[in-house]
Amino acid sequence: MSARQMKLGLFLWATGHHIAAWRHPDAHVTAGIDIDHYIALARMAEAAKFDMVFCEDAAGLREANVNIASQTSRSIGFEPISLLSALAAQTERIGLVSTASTSYNEPYGLARMFASLDNLSGGRAGWNLVTSASPIEAANFGATGLRPHADRYARAREFATVITGLWHRKPAGYDGESFSVRDPLDIPPSPQGAPVMVQAGASDDGKDLAARTADVVFSAAQTFEEAKAFYDDLKGRLAAHGRQPDDVKIMPGVAPIVAATKAEAQAKYDSLQELIPDDVGVALLSSYLSISDLGRYPIDGPLPELPESEGMKSRQALVIEQARRDGLSIRELARYFAGARGHWRVVGTAGEIAGELQARFEGGAADGFNVMPSWFPGELDAFATLVVPELQRRGLFRKDYEGRTLRDHLGLKRPIQAFNP
């Protein structure tokens, strides 16, 4: 077995990661509020020895100007920390990671929730820190509009300082620009010491914050060159913060569609693409580009020139670059983007997909991958039963867990506690 092992996370998204997953003939349309559905997925990932499951979250509907049946079918779902608490009781080893926004929470309350999940699960919790870039979310919290990008990251940096101080048992008493905390946390450390810190920002502010505080970074890259550049950039920032390259695991998203033959896999993908309504695809693209009226442009025309936004700057740049590079119309770009939301898509046999993952892993462009099955449970089952055994055969992925905590799985150090009350 290779000394360096690939890390795998499972992106849990109700019916699946593809925008039209809810329309698949075998989809479970109300999966978002079916706890048995999530338990089955988590157990399937655990049986395949995944490092973690990951629940993304947004505090609002994801796209404006989409028919309500489509929006509701794709948006219903449990609040993720509550969901992961239920999954903690139904699993034994797999890590449990949830998104929570620094824009719409307070450090002490969020620290208690994740520390509780960490103890309930025996040391398997992780927090995916996001700053929230959607004006739709901002409108649900009494805000007059989306905070500027720089302001969101200033708040996030302070938020991370406060919450890690609470988790690491540093002396109480903090009075800063955005937050004030008097008491120490009233929950002891879990077996892994503190929840794993996860981030996904790819702007300069996002990468700097990750270099300071993250244990795991999720990223999006279409090509090997993009993935390699991001990997080298982020790893190169760690030394300035007294950290080593292996202190942070970089896990790009991958949307695999696997079958016994390449032709069969392509047919599966093509059938999913045919299920994407144009208005849904364009609305999703609009939300990532932070433009509200993309639908007024000719759908078979080119993407218009867009001003820099205060939203998801890195994802906007990625989408625009792809549109220009490949000469895609708005319809083509929306359909392509809707299939994997800007992440790397791989279609093929188990051997072909394992080979593609191996090339990025061994080429220094990834420490592992955040796997985004197009629809559940079918594509997770296909990946777990076809691709994982091929990775194991190549000596790239574990056949059993090495420990019991998420930090054990990822090979991360246990944080030093300042004191234990």
Side-chain angles (χ1 to χ4, degrees):
M1 180 175 285
S2 171
R4 181 168 174 257
Q5 293 288 288
M6 189 180 292
K7 308 304 177 185
L8 292 179
L10 172 65
F11 197 123
L12 281 181
W13 199 329
T15 54
H17 199 72
H18 194 284
I19 195 69
W22 64 280
R23 302 186 71 196
H24 190 282
D26 294 326
H28 179 15
V29 178
T30 58
I33 52 171
D34 183 347
I35 187 59
D36 291 333
H37 168 76
Y38 283 109
I39 291 170
L41 297 179
R43 286 177 172 172
M44 188 182 299
E46 188 170 63
K49 312 306 177 187
F50 274 62
D51 294 75
M52 70 186 88
V53 295
F54 164 59
C55 291
E56 187 266 359
D57 190 40
L61 295 179
R62 299 181 184 280
E63 302 98 40
N65 306 318
V66 178
N67 70 77
I68 194 65
S70 168
Q71 184 67 275
T72 301
S73 295
R74 291 181 293 108
S75 297
I76 58 172
F78 295 115
E79 184 280 317
I81 301 178
S82 302
L83 171 61
L84 292 181
S85 296
L87 295 183
Q90 298 293 329
T91 57
E92 295 182 356
R93 298 289 187 91
I94 197 162
L96 306 164
V97 179
S98 170
T99 291
S101 174
T102 57
S103 295
Y104 309 123
N105 285 287
E106 292 289 321
Y108 195 88
L110 204 63
R112 291 187 76 220
M113 285 191 284
F114 276 103
S116 296
L117 176 61
D118 209 23
N119 275 275
L120 285 168
S121 63
R124 295 186 281 138
W127 170 39
N128 177 44
L129 182 160
V130 299
T131 62
S132 296
S134 167
I136 297 173
E137 291 180 85
N140 287 333
F141 288 85
T144 56
L146 185 64
R147 292 175 180 172
H149 184 273
D151 291 354
R152 296 200 309 273
Y153 271 95
R155 178 182 170 93
R157 284 190 291 271
E158 187 178 355
F159 199 114
T161 297
V162 178
I163 203 169
T164 53
L166 290 165
W167 284 340
H168 298 173
R169 321 305 291 176
K170 293 180 181 178
Y174 177 87
D175 188 13
E177 184 171 338
S178 297
F179 308 110
S180 178
V181 175
R182 185 192 67 183
D183 294 332
L185 202 61
D186 56 355
I187 300 173
S190 79
Q192 71 171 351
V196 169
M197 290 279 285
V198 182
Q199 288 172 42
S203 65
D204 275 340
D205 283 336
K207 286 183 283 191
D208 184 64
L209 182 61
R212 291 170 182 267
T213 64
D215 299 306
V216 175
V217 173
F218 294 148
S219 62
Q222 294 286 340
T223 67
F224 174 87
E225 290 74 20
E226 290 170 350
K228 177 67 172 170
F230 179 87
Y231 188 94
D232 290 344
D233 184 358
L234 185 55
K235 295 278 186 172
R237 296 175 186 238
L238 297 175
H241 303 288
R243 308 182 73 193
Q244 300 298 314
D246 205 40
D247 288 345
V248 177
K249 309 299 181 184
I250 299 176
M251 300 174 65
V254 60
I257 296 184
V258 60
T261 67
K262 175 78 170 184
E264 183 182 349
Q266 187 64 47
K268 289 168 68 176
Y269 172 70
D270 291 342
S271 65
L272 271 169
Q273 290 296 94
E274 289 302 314
L275 298 176
I276 304 172
D278 283 337
D279 67 326
V280 172
V282 172
L284 178 71
L285 183 62
S286 297
S287 71
Y288 277 89
L289 292 173
S290 298
I291 178 172
S292 61
D293 58 351
L294 189 60
R296 71 184 176 91
Y297 295 95
I299 195 169
D300 290 313
L303 191 70
E305 293 297 325
L306 299 174
E308 185 176 6
S309 78
E310 290 296 341
M312 293 178 281
K313 290 179 179 289
S314 58
R315 190 61 60 88
Q316 182 188 48
L318 183 151
V319 174
I320 293 173
E321 166 62 22
Q322 184 180 4
R324 306 289 185 247
R325 181 184 68 231
D326 299 339
L328 301 178
S329 68
I330 291 175
R331 187 197 306 272
E332 291 168 334
L333 183 63
R335 287 172 65 83
Y336 186 92
F337 188 78
R341 293 176 170 84
H343 289 278
W344 180 36
R345 185 184 65 227
V346 190
V347 180
T349 65
E352 289 168 336
I353 291 176
E356 293 275 4
L357 299 179
Q358 182 174 4
R360 294 203 181 189
F361 176 67
E362 293 184 341
D367 295 312
F369 301 93
N370 195 22
V371 181
M372 302 169 165
S374 58
W375 69 277
F376 287 127
E379 285 303 321
L380 172 58
D381 181 63
F383 188 90
T385 59
L386 297 174
V387 179
V388 169
E390 180 61 21
L391 293 173
Q392 292 169 334
R393 187 188 69 79
R394 298 178 185 213
L396 296 168
F397 189 64
R398 67 170 66 87
K399 293 185 178 180
D400 203 357
Y401 290 110
E402 301 85 4
R404 303 199 69 87
T405 73
L406 180 53
R407 289 184 185 275
D408 289 338
H409 305 340
L410 295 169
L412 296 171
K413 301 170 187 172
R414 190 182 192 277
I416 297 173
Q417 307 295 328
F419 71 95
N420 286 297

